[in-house]
Amino acid sequence: MDELISVIIPVYNVRNYLGECLTSVMGQTYPWLEIILVDDGSTDGSGEICEEYARQDGRVKVIHQENAGLSAARNAGLDIAAGKYFVFVDSDDLVHVKMIEYLYCALAFHQGDVSICSHLKFKESGEIQNIQEDCLGDSLNKGEGQEIPVQVYTGKECISMFYSQLCVDMVVVWNKLFSRDFFGSVRFPLGRKYEDEFVNYKILYPMKKCIYLPCPLYYYRARENSITQERFNLGALDRLDALAERKDYFRKLGEGELCALAARKYAAVIADAMSQITKFYPEEKELLRRLNREFRQLYWEELVCGRYIKKADKIKYGLFIINRHLYWFLKKIYMEMGKGSEKWI
C-alpha cells in the first residue's frame, strides 16, 4: 500500500464547508496522498484557507487561478497530478475516513481499472444520518486471501447502469478511484454544466474490470444554491449536448445497445426540458420549437427503427409527438405512484 494517489479538489467560495472537507481528506487512513487544491478565483477567503492547510500538511499543493469554472479547476489539477491513481472530491462534501483505503485495496486485490463506492446525500442544514463507522466490517484486505466484498463489472456494464437506480454512483466522478492510464487526454469541458456526463462514459468504456463497493463512503452535501439543486435554468440544457454526444459516440463505435440507452435517455431529458421551459420560460418559443424538432428527428432516426428499443418505448415517445401534455400528465401520475424516474426512461 504505497502507490501515490492524487486527490483533486476544486475550490470556489466554500469557506463555510472547506475546512470540514479537507479535514476528512487529510485524515484518510491511506497516507500516500497528493492533495491538490485548485482555488478557482474564490472571493470569500477560501484561497487563504487552502494555503493554511498547505502549511499544516506537506501533501497539500495549492493552485490559484482566475475563476473559470469547475471543469477548468479539475483540468488544472489533472495537469499537475503525479499519482498513479486519481480521486475527485468536491470541496463542500465529506468522505469516510477509510474511503481511499477501501477503494485502493479493492482495486489492487481485484486488479481493477477503477473502484467505485456508493454515496450518501445529506442536507446542508442537517447532519449526516446513518453513517456506518466501518461499513465493510473486518473484510478489509489486511492479509493474504482476505478480500473486500465487491461487485465486479465491465466498463460497458457500468455505462448501462447510467440508466438504473445506480445512475448517480456510476455517472459521477467524485466517488471513484481511477487509474490514470484511462484518462489520457480526456479533460472536462470548459464552461459546461453536467461536466461528468460529458466525460465519464469515455473513461469507463475501455475498462475491463470495474470494482463496485456497495457501501456509502462518499457524503454529498445537497446545498440549496448548488448547480444541481437550483430551480431549472437554461444552463441545464448542457445535459442535452452531453447525451447527444454520448449517443453519437456509441453509434460510431457500433455499440447498438449503449447507443439505444443513450437515445432513450436523450428523449426523456428533451421531454423533461420542454416541460420545464414551458413552465418557467414560456417566452422561449423558438427554443421550444428547436427542441421539438430535435425530439422528432431523434424519434424517427433512433427510436422508431432502433433494434434495441422496446415497443413500449416507441409508443411512449410517440405519444410525446402526438400530445406532449398527455405524456407529461402520464409521467406525473407514474412518478406519484413511486415508480421512479429511472424506470420511466
Side-chain angles (χ1 to χ4, degrees), residues 57 71 149 197 202 210 233 238 245-246 316:
D57 191 325
S71 289
E197 299 229 36
K202 298 175 186 176
C210 305
N233 65 75
D238 283 348
E245 289 184 15
R246 187 191 303 170
K316 178 170 61 182

Side-chain angles (χ1 to χ4, degrees), residues 84-239:
K84 184 176 180 180
Y85 303 99
F86 299 150
V87 171
F88 296 94
V89 176
D90 286 352
S91 53
D92 50 355
D93 295 339
L94 305 173
V95 294
H96 189 286
V97 67
K98 293 184 179 181
M99 185 187 83
I100 294 177
E101 182 181 0
Y102 281 150
L103 289 176
Y104 175 80
C105 288
L107 192 73
F109 188 93
H110 293 275
Q111 298 182 322
D113 303 315
V114 65
S115 53
I116 307 164
C117 66
S118 182
H119 76 286
L120 184 69
K121 181 187 290 188
F122 69 102
K123 293 182 179 180
E124 178 178 10
S125 57
E127 296 181 357
I128 305 174
Q129 301 295 322
N130 301 321
I131 290 182
Q132 296 166 282
E133 292 300 327
D134 195 347
C135 55
L136 296 178
D138 296 325
S139 60
L140 181 62
N141 177 27
K142 295 184 178 182
E144 291 296 328
Q146 192 174 13
E147 112 183 58
I148 300 172
V150 301
Q151 297 163 11
V152 180
Y153 303 107
T154 65
K156 290 168 63 174
E157 288 172 332
C158 286
I159 293 168
S160 71
M161 285 185 279
F162 284 8
Y163 316 97
S164 73
Q165 291 182 335
L166 290 179
C167 170
V168 176
D169 282 348
M170 294 301 170
V171 80
V172 299
V173 299
W174 39 247
N175 62 335
K176 298 175 175 64
L177 176 68
F178 293 99
S179 170
R180 73 175 298 133
D181 296 339
F182 290 89
F183 260 86
S185 60
V186 175
R187 291 296 183 268
F188 294 92
L190 299 180
R192 308 300 293 268
K193 294 184 178 181
Y194 296 94
E195 55 283 321
D196 293 7
E197 299 229 36
F198 280 94
V199 302
N200 209 17
Y201 65 91
K202 298 175 186 176
I203 300 167
L204 291 173
Y205 177 71
M207 292 183 175
K208 302 299 183 184
K209 190 178 288 187
C210 305
I211 316 302
Y212 180 64
L213 288 71
C215 177
L217 301 173
Y218 189 99
Y219 308 128
Y220 174 83
R221 189 189 306 270
R223 294 166 57 192
E224 292 182 1
N225 63 343
S226 71
I227 291 173
T228 54
Q229 298 296 316
E230 64 189 10
R231 193 195 82 167
F232 178 87
N233 65 75
L234 297 181
L237 297 180
D238 283 348
R239 192 180 188 197

